[in-house]
Amino acid sequence: MATHQVKKLAEGRKHQNMQNDTKASQGQWGRAWEVDWFSLASVLFLLMFAPLIVYYFIMSCAQYQCSLTDPVLDLLMGNKHLSDIWNSTPMLTYKAAGIYSLWVTFQVVLYVFIPDFCHKFLPGYVGGVQEGAVTPAGVVNKYEINGLQAWIITHVLCFVNASCFHFFSPTIIFDNWIPLLWCANILGYAVSTFAMIKGHFFPTNAKDCKFTGNFFYDYMMGIEFNPRIGKWFDFKLFFNGRPGIVAWTLINLSFAAKQQELYGEVTNSMVLVNVLQGIYVLDFFWNEAWYLKTIDICHDHFGWYLGWGDCVWLPYLYTLQGLYLVYHPVQLHAAHAVGVLMLGLLGYYIFRMTNHQKDLFRRTNGKCRIWGKKPEYIECSYMSVDGTKYYSKLMTSGFWGWARHFNYTGDLMGSLAYCLACGFEHVLPYFYIVYMTILLTHRCLRDEHRCSSKYGKDWKRYTAAVPHRLLPGVF
Ligand code: NDP
């Protein structure tokens, strides 16, 4: 539903009878209020093991040429003790702390103090002040969309440094990779803990907070829906997009520079990873306004899952392919490289077009054309916590008629392409596709559970019309 219509409805406060089961819908929108044992076990597992998983992958590359089995075998056979591995791990350095502090501060400055000018000269780009979706409490937040600008400024400065000024080496990120990991962890934990305290004592919008009473669940999944400092510093938008996603392409470029330094050339596999992931990152910033309507911003609360995840998990594990290629420079046969490129581009096309179809459909309130025809849809209604009734539509044509999350399918195809670019010698680069499959399948189930609570009987009509989730006829 277009945002201005939502606002009109909110202003009008038209309380109407609900067709759906109101009690079930109210308060069920967004993340859970109650924690079942499985969710709690998953939360505890992730809190304990996610940081170790990141460490294990990065350490395996640094000490075992990216072999995931050798460290375990070494430990089991008594060749090494845990302390040997730990003692060989670079510690936090002043240099890394300085680089990281400068990096984050620079991104904060770009985000808070430089209003977007890209939308003034880039045709078709939506930037500047934009409205997010209506929150469960009926609030519509405003956001300064300037991520593309931050990405361009950052990359231009790095390019100018590499080609003219040489203040720092283009391999600086790779050269400080593990010390920077400790810095990213410090920020990730600090921001998650701050968000938890803020949610309890000085929330931005108390009505949009959720408490389960379980400390670990609240810490992980967040209490506040949209924590902010001042009018514009929005935690979710900042940490989701920057520093992590702006860093993604810089990290890959640093890995390419390291390949050049070590072997005197950049392999075609490294070029493919840089290009395909670069397209994904640029797409993210080009569509940052659209991103305000995705699950991360529309439904997830801000806790460790987003705070630590954006600071540590994303920059360290989404870039594993490039890291792997520094240790194993793979030169692909032309047919293999073309196959990977085609798969990556097709995946990207499906991902973008599916997301675009929904965005267009929602923006125009269904008054648009999808594949040359009027879109088909199901009318739905839901209620916010203050009892205001809203209307929405679920599209059942275009890619959204093929499967309920065909955008995830496109994303998975692209993810597989990054992994295939690394050849077949090691499993480490394939972690990404395994992780994305788990993430997006879980996300799909989580989203459907939420939509079912939100739309009630209307959701059932929708799932009857579009029976499959990711792959038509299969799942
Ligand atoms: P979606 O963009 O699919 O958004 C789901 C929401 O869209 C639902 O909650 C519902 O919201 C609405 N919706 C569902 N079905 C329909 C329909 N038929 N017609 C209209 N609206 C519908 O999910 P995400 O926000 O998770 O993902 C956005 C993109 O980001 C995806 O392409 C995904 O692959 C990508 N992504 C990438 C990640 C990564 O780490 N690389 C992580 C997460 C996502 P409402 O309540 O408004 O009805």
Side-chain angles (χ1 to χ4, degrees):
M1 181 186 279
T3 314
H4 66 275
Q5 282 169 302
V6 168
K7 262 176 68 186
K8 252 193 198 167
L9 278 170
E11 280 158 17
R13 289 267 181 265
K14 286 182 186 161
H15 296 261
Q16 300 172 19
N17 292 333
M18 282 293 286
Q19 284 163 0
N20 293 338
D21 183 351
T22 310
K23 285 212 168 78
S25 304
Q26 233 176 4
Q28 290 297 317
W29 182 17
R31 75 150 172 81
W33 289 86
E34 284 160 15
V35 190
D36 57 80
W37 69 267
F38 180 74
S39 306
L40 184 58
S42 313
V43 160
L44 290 175
F45 177 85
L46 283 173
L47 279 172
M48 279 191 293
F49 291 109
L52 287 179
I53 291 171
V54 177
Y55 171 73
Y56 191 81
F57 275 98
I58 304 305
M59 177 279 297
S60 299
C61 280
Q63 297 186 31
Y64 288 89
Q65 294 287 309
C66 298
S67 167
L68 289 178
T69 46
D70 284 357
V72 180
L73 289 176
D74 251 5
L75 290 172
L76 289 178
M77 290 161 72
N79 296 338
K80 276 197 179 171
H81 296 291
L82 276 177
S83 57
D84 298 326
I85 293 179
W86 181 249
N87 290 337
S88 308
T89 304
M91 290 294 119
L92 179 63
T93 59
Y94 283 117
K95 185 177 178 190
I99 297 169
Y100 198 74
S101 309
L102 262 176
W103 163 250
V104 176
T105 309
F106 183 54
Q107 291 307 314
V108 171
V109 169
L110 290 179
Y111 175 58
V112 177
F113 298 109
I114 310 196
D116 186 69
F117 57 80
C118 286
H119 70 280
K120 296 194 176 150
F121 65 88
L122 286 175
Y125 170 66
V126 181
V129 177
Q130 299 292 329
E131 285 182 344
V134 64
T135 73
V139 175
V140 178
N141 282 309
K142 283 192 164 52
Y143 296 83
E144 174 70 40
I145 298 297
N146 58 3
L148 183 66
Q149 174 174 284
W151 186 90
I152 293 171
I153 293 175
T154 308
H155 283 70
V156 166
L157 287 180
C158 287
F159 180 75
V160 170
N161 170 70
S163 48
C164 305
F165 296 118
H166 311 291
F167 288 141
F168 54 87
S169 161
T171 62
I172 191 170
I173 301 177
F174 177 88
D175 296 337
N176 294 278
W177 199 221
I178 296 185
L180 286 171
L181 173 63
W182 308 133
C183 303
N185 267 287
I186 291 171
L187 181 66
Y189 278 98
V191 78
S192 316
T193 308
F194 178 75
M196 177 90 171
I197 295 168
K198 184 173 173 326
H200 275 282
F201 297 106
F202 47 103
T204 304
N205 187 334
K207 277 192 183 166
D208 270 330
C209 288
K210 276 193 178 180
F211 299 91
T212 58
N214 185 294
F215 173 84
F216 294 107
Y217 190 87
D218 285 351
Y219 184 68
M220 168 110 177
M221 298 309 289
I223 291 173
E224 273 200 85
F225 193 59
N226 285 309
R228 284 189 169 202
I229 292 180
K231 199 173 164 198
W232 292 111
F233 189 84
D234 185 88
F235 279 54
K236 265 202 251 177
L237 192 66
F238 179 77
F239 283 101
N240 264 318
R242 323 86 180 262
I245 301 189
V246 176
W248 190 346
T249 34
L250 285 181
I251 294 166
N252 278 343
L253 286 170
S254 176
F255 292 158
K258 195 68 193 179
Q259 253 200 356
Q260 177 70 40
E261 184 187 290
L262 290 174
Y263 312 105
E265 64 163 359
V266 176
T267 60
N268 59 1
S269 50
M270 181 65 96
V271 173
L272 273 173
V273 167
N274 268 266
V275 168
L276 290 176
Q277 295 191 347
I279 292 173
Y280 194 76
V281 167
L282 261 177
D283 174 276
F284 174 87
F285 286 117
W286 184 268
N287 295 293
E288 199 180 12
W290 154 81
Y291 185 70
L292 298 177
K293 310 286 160 63
T294 64
I295 291 177
D296 285 344
I297 303 282
C298 281
H299 294 291
D300 285 344
H301 289 236
F302 187 87
W304 186 86
Y305 172 74
L306 288 180
W308 181 86
D310 293 331
C311 290
V312 181
W313 187 270
L314 190 156
Y316 276 84
L317 294 190
Y318 284 28
T319 55
L320 274 182
Q321 287 85 23
L323 182 67
Y324 171 84
L325 292 171
V326 174
Y327 293 94
H328 299 271
V330 176
Q331 192 66 36
L332 300 170
H333 292 298
H336 186 154
V338 170
V340 167
L341 183 65
M342 289 303 155
L343 178 67
L345 292 179
L346 179 64
Y348 170 70
Y349 174 78
I350 293 174
F351 160 84
R352 173 53 27 229
M353 285 315 293
T354 313
N355 285 321
H356 170 72
Q357 286 181 354
K358 188 187 83 175
D359 183 46
L360 180 68
F361 172 77
R362 281 282 170 97
R363 259 191 296 121
T364 57
N365 199 21
K367 293 183 183 63
C368 59
R369 296 192 86 73
I370 302 291
W371 291 345
K373 290 190 221 145
K374 277 175 80 176
E376 292 161 24
Y377 55 83
I378 283 174
E379 296 267 9
C380 317
S381 60
Y382 61 95
M383 210 176 244
S384 64
V385 279
D386 65 357
T388 309
K389 187 179 180 184
Y390 297 92
Y391 293 94
S392 190
K393 293 181 171 78
L394 292 167
M395 182 162 53
T396 54
S397 59
F399 280 128
W400 293 88
W402 288 16
R404 299 200 291 271
H405 272 104
F406 212 58
N407 48 349
Y408 291 0
T409 310
D411 209 343
L412 289 175
M413 289 165 70
S415 307
L416 181 62
Y418 314 153
C419 304
L420 289 172
C422 298
F424 304 103
E425 267 189 31
H426 279 272
V427 291
L428 180 133
Y430 287 83
F431 165 79
Y432 190 66
I433 183 63
V434 174
Y435 161 72
M436 284 297 280
T437 306
I438 296 170
L439 174 89
L440 293 180
T441 310
H442 176 249
R443 200 177 174 89
C444 176
L445 299 176
R446 208 158 56 97
D447 183 48
E448 301 217 336
H449 176 70
R450 186 165 39 216
C451 286
S452 170
S453 303
K454 181 175 170 184
Y455 294 122
K457 283 181 201 144
D458 294 335
W459 184 254
K460 285 207 177 103
R461 289 198 293 131
Y462 171 62
T463 54
V466 186
H468 291 99
R469 293 184 173 105
L470 293 175
L471 273 184
V474 182
F475 175 68

